[in-house]
Amino acid sequence: MWRKSSYSAGASNCVEIGRGVGIRDTKAPATHLAVAPGSWSAFLLSVKAGEFAPSGQTG
């Protein structure tokens, strides 16, 4: 099952995540990038910690 962010608001330029499957672009749903659960969790923790925020901004 694929899920789109609630921040997408119906836009077509979105990235979706799929539990146990990976990440895909809504414009190319036939292909996806497989991501291990531990790697995904580490990525989410980094995002929440503001590690990818533009300089001077935090999430």
Side-chain angles (χ1 to χ4, degrees):
M1 179 161 139
W2 294 96
R3 191 176 108 196
K4 191 183 324 183
S5 169
S6 60
Y7 291 99
S8 297
S12 62
N13 297 330
C14 303
V15 173
E16 299 174 316
I17 60 168
R19 180 177 293 270
V21 180
I23 303 169
R24 72 179 184 183
D25 185 333
T26 55
K27 293 177 290 199
T31 60
H32 69 275
L33 175 64
V35 180
S39 297
W40 183 250
S41 294
F43 171 72
L44 290 179
L45 288 173
S46 296
V47 169
K48 290 176 183 178
E51 292 182 31
F52 300 105
S55 182
Q57 297 180 8
T58 57

